[in-house]
Amino acid sequence: MMRAAPADRPPVLAILSALAEEQAGLVEQLQDAQCISHAGRTFWQGRLGGLAVVLALSRIGKVAAATTSVALIERFGASRIVFTGVAGGVGPGVQVGDVVVGTGYVQHDLDASPLFPRYQIPLTGQTVLNADAVLADALVAACAAGLQGLRHAGRLPVVHQGLIASGDRFVNGQEETRRIVQSLRQHGHEPLAVEMEGAAVAQVCCDYGLPFAAVRTISDRADDSAHVDFPAFVRDVASVYAQRIVTALLQVSQPRL
Ligand code: SAH
């Protein structure tokens, strides 16, 4: 995705969180906070570390996340969107407690073949949408700084970079994961993680020519036990990661935002 020069908009960084637990700490730190209800959602405007921001919960699934993204752009003047959430690790070596910074996004459940090639977004000619390189690099730097000293199950979190596959399914079965990954591979795509929103937000940002990047903490391996430890992981691990990564993003990487 090209980095847009939104000359007509003052910079407003949208921080889109998948889960309330990830957002809570950010709302607490927000200065000049204003809470606005719109489209059945709650948006928080204000400043974080001196930067104009708008915070929102994406809601779950591609359509919900797209609606939230459009509102962020049209109503709240977002000039770039950063997403934090959790995901199932499907790439080799992508373990629970690691993080994945998405460099590209594909919809694993999009299939308008034979009218359009498998996975291609109809009428756009595009299949994998690339993250904004500057924002993605800033997220990688923020992960390195923010996660320092943290361990999960005795292991330092590894920061992976690569393809994230989104779809309207919570993937929790070995066989289902194998099918999704194998089919993507047959079409030349190597996913590291599956989740339910990223590619939709990427598509909205692509339509508006705005920068987008996302970071996902790996909560499960998209296998038969994916749902088991999910709530506890979100509460105890992912919320801490998200808070630290965003804080570091605003401190370490602010000149790049
Ligand atoms: N219990 C949660 C629902 C979570 S749905 C609640 O009530 O809020 C799962 C969320 O985690 C989605 O945002 C999705 O993007 C992500 N996710 C984590 N693991 C996933 C997996 N294995 N497959 C698909 N999405 C996953």
Side-chain angles (χ1 to χ4, degrees), residues 103-236:
T103 52
Y105 302 87
V106 66
Q107 295 178 48
H108 68 71
D109 57 354
L110 179 51
D111 185 2
S113 63
L115 304 177
F116 296 92
R118 182 78 207 267
Y119 301 116
Q120 192 176 99
I121 304 165
L123 309 177
T124 70
Q126 288 188 292
T127 302
V128 173
L129 299 179
N130 291 325
D132 177 71
V134 175
L135 272 189
D137 286 352
L139 277 175
V140 171
C143 289
L147 301 180
Q148 234 169 28
L150 282 186
R151 282 171 186 271
H152 179 71
R155 192 170 161 274
L156 292 170
V158 177
V159 182
H160 306 268
Q161 295 180 64
L163 183 69
I164 292 181
S166 310
D168 284 319
R169 291 185 66 83
F170 183 77
V171 184
N172 66 335
Q174 230 160 8
E175 182 48 31
E176 186 185 358
T177 299
R178 197 193 56 76
R179 264 202 316 274
I180 290 170
V181 172
Q182 199 171 52
S183 174
L184 281 167
R185 277 192 187 141
Q186 275 166 4
H187 292 82
H189 310 300
E190 194 63 49
L192 296 185
V194 289
E195 39 84 310
M196 302 177 69
E197 299 86 16
V201 183
Q203 189 173 336
V204 170
C205 287
C206 185
D207 285 345
Y208 281 89
L210 297 177
F212 165 74
V215 58
R216 294 273 180 173
T217 300
I218 300 303
S219 55
D220 59 87
R221 281 284 304 171
D223 55 16
D224 304 60
S225 61
H227 58 291
V228 176
D229 296 327
F230 190 83
F233 184 88
V234 166
R235 190 185 61 233
D236 300 336

Side-chain angles (χ1 to χ4, degrees), residues 58-92:
S58 66
R59 301 278 186 110
I60 294 165
K62 292 190 297 177
V63 174
T67 301
T68 311
S69 303
V70 171
L72 282 169
I73 295 166
E74 291 280 358
R75 169 76 194 263
F76 297 98
S79 58
R80 57 214 63 218
I81 297 182
V82 165
F83 192 108
T84 73
V86 291
V90 298

Side-chain angles (χ1 to χ4, degrees), residues 27-84:
V27 171
E28 263 172 40
Q29 289 172 36
L30 197 66
Q31 296 156 333
D32 307 327
Q34 258 193 300
C35 178
I36 296 148
S37 293
H38 178 67
R41 290 149 165 78
T42 300
F43 295 85
W44 291 90
Q45 280 181 311
R47 303 188 78 77
L48 274 179
L51 200 72
V53 297
V54 52
L55 313 178
L57 294 179
S58 66
R59 301 278 186 110
I60 294 165
K62 292 190 297 177
V63 174
T67 301
T68 311
S69 303
V70 171
L72 282 169
I73 295 166
E74 291 280 358
R75 169 76 194 263
F76 297 98
S79 58
R80 57 214 63 218
I81 297 182
V82 165
F83 192 108
T84 73

